[in-house]
Amino acid sequence: MSGATLQVIRLSRAAAASVPAATAAMARRCILDWFGLAIAGAGEPVCRRLRALALAEGARPVATVVGGGQGPGEGPGEGASARQAVFLNAVAGHALDYDDVSLAMHVHPTTVILPPLLALAEQRALGGGAVLAAFVAGYEAAGMIGRWLGAGPYDRGFHMTGTLGALGAAAAAAHLLGLDEEATARAYGLAASQAAGLKAQFGTMAKPIHAGRAAEAGLCAALWAEAGISSRTDILEAPQGYAATQSAIPAGPITWDGHELDRNSFKYHASCFGTHGAIEAIAALRAQGVVPGDVRQVRLTVDAGADRMCNIATPRTGTEAKFSLRFVAALALLGADTGMPGLFTDAVTARPDLIALRDRVTVAFGPPDWPPDLTVAEVTLADGSRREACCDTSLIGADDDRLRAKFLHLADTLPAGHAGRLADQVAGIEAVTDVRALCRLATRVGEG
């Protein structure tokens, strides 16, 4: 074995072997944020329908379905097979499109990396410290591959949460299972052969299913590799392998310049991350005194890649509205709380006042050297004057108070006391010996 695949395995293992305190703190933020999102996301229609199918399929319950007990015919704290739980939990974590982002890999990382680790830890009685270390290994592996490949796969139309996410999930699960280098390389190969996801599905229920399948693929790949299933061990660099089919095999080697996890980005608005710059920039204009009634026109200038990601001009549903720069700009002009997932409904999308504001917004694309995370919002007022504000979303950091408030709001459907206890458990996850008990705090066990 040699080449890019082996480099990623060795570097990601080294990164997980010695985790700095700041990196561990970031991992705990990711885990808490994901639990809140999965709890709230479990009530979304896509999750209810998929959960009903899983329950009808039947299985020996060995892992927790987060947010379980929210649908007809479900018992509180419903369990499932490891595969079912991983799939359903990953879908739930991404269903609100409110989960964290890695700009390096163009992936929503936690919702694909964490669910396989929780299910394996429940099934094999592994502790929270092992889960955290494996999470770091999976995150760093995906981060290295993402930086190596660049934006090419995403620009071609691959939803990298579904494609690269499968490799990150496999790397994390292989680390938790203690697989050696050769078996881990086979896990990468098996995950790559299952990787799928197309950006054409943005704005539909298929998008969160990409995350579910990626997490499930990572789990299966690691378990299959552990069972001795064969695969190429050079899948990243192989002719007709992962890099060659996704984009083009990069000329340079795999590199690692510090924990990618330290640069993780969190969402504070319940819409596509590509729309967040517009929301923040317009919020800055409102702080300058701009009010909707005085606005004649809004011009948003963004990276050209947004056209294939979040530029649905006339959204018809709440899901489509999350991928509409023009519509979120209208919401922001009105001062709507875009951090509330329940805001994005079909009824709100059809409101005449919002449609009228939406139609005053135009989207322009910057030149080829335009920073990919920069949004400039320019408003023309009724008196002909203009105001401008900008936002670089890559500079928005982690805010513990804001993240905890987000978690507590998302987890407010849990029985009394569960959300606080779950937050406390995650804050000390390295000392948690019973991951199953932790996961059951994220269900409605104790009700009904």
Side-chain angles (χ1 to χ4, degrees), residues 162-191:
T163 55
L164 179 52
L167 288 167
H175 191 279
L176 188 64
L177 292 174
L179 303 188
D180 63 22
E181 287 181 352
E182 189 274 339
T184 299
R186 284 189 284 111
Y188 279 40
L190 292 164

Side-chain angles (χ1 to χ4, degrees), residues 138-398:
Y139 196 110
E140 297 306 314
M144 279 181 269
I145 299 168
R147 286 201 177 275
W148 184 59
L149 290 176
Y154 196 77
D155 291 343
R156 290 181 69 172
F158 288 107
H159 183 202
M160 294 179 72
T161 297
T163 55
L164 179 52
L167 288 167
H175 191 279
L176 188 64
L177 292 174
L179 303 188
D180 63 22
E181 287 181 352
E182 189 274 339
T184 299
R186 284 189 284 111
Y188 279 40
L190 292 164
S193 290
Q194 301 174 77
L198 300 173
K199 285 166 62 182
Q201 295 284 16
F202 283 15
T204 76
M205 289 183 182
K207 185 174 188 276
I209 289 176
H210 296 166
R213 292 305 300 268
E216 181 186 13
L219 172 76
C220 291
L223 291 173
W224 294 342
E226 183 185 45
I229 303 297
S230 67
S231 167
R232 288 193 72 128
T233 56
D234 61 348
I235 200 64
L236 294 181
E237 67 272 25
Q240 301 185 92
Y242 184 78
T245 56
Q246 294 279 301
S247 180
I249 297 178
I254 293 287
T255 59
W256 186 72
D257 63 350
H259 286 82
E260 191 65 49
L261 179 53
D262 294 343
R263 296 181 279 270
N264 189 71
S265 296
F266 293 95
K267 282 189 170 188
Y268 303 111
H269 307 285
S271 57
C272 174
F273 194 68
T275 68
H276 287 207
I279 296 170
E280 296 282 346
I282 290 175
L285 290 170
R286 281 178 55 85
Q288 296 175 24
V290 171
V291 295
D294 291 340
V295 173
R296 182 189 301 169
Q297 185 181 41
V298 179
R299 176 185 170 92
L300 302 174
T301 304
V302 296
D303 175 60
D307 192 34
R308 300 182 300 277
M309 176 173 60
C310 53
N311 195 27
I312 297 176
T314 55
R316 297 160 298 170
T317 67
T319 302
E320 288 184 347
K322 294 185 177 200
F323 296 87
S324 173
L325 281 161
R326 298 172 72 205
F327 192 83
V328 299
L331 287 171
L333 277 170
L334 284 180
D337 186 354
T338 49
M340 301 288 285
L343 174 67
F344 290 89
T345 64
D346 296 356
V348 168
T349 306
R351 269 175 42 183
D353 60 333
L354 283 166
I355 291 173
L357 273 176
R358 180 201 75 193
D359 290 345
R360 294 182 215 167
V361 181
T362 60
V363 177
F365 304 113
D369 60 348
W370 188 270
D373 306 307
L374 176 66
T375 299
V376 174
E378 181 185 59
V379 296
T380 302
L381 301 177
D383 62 5
S385 64
R386 295 181 178 181
R387 303 275 186 88
E388 182 178 291
C390 64
C391 176
D392 183 340
T393 53
S394 70
L395 303 179
I396 299 175

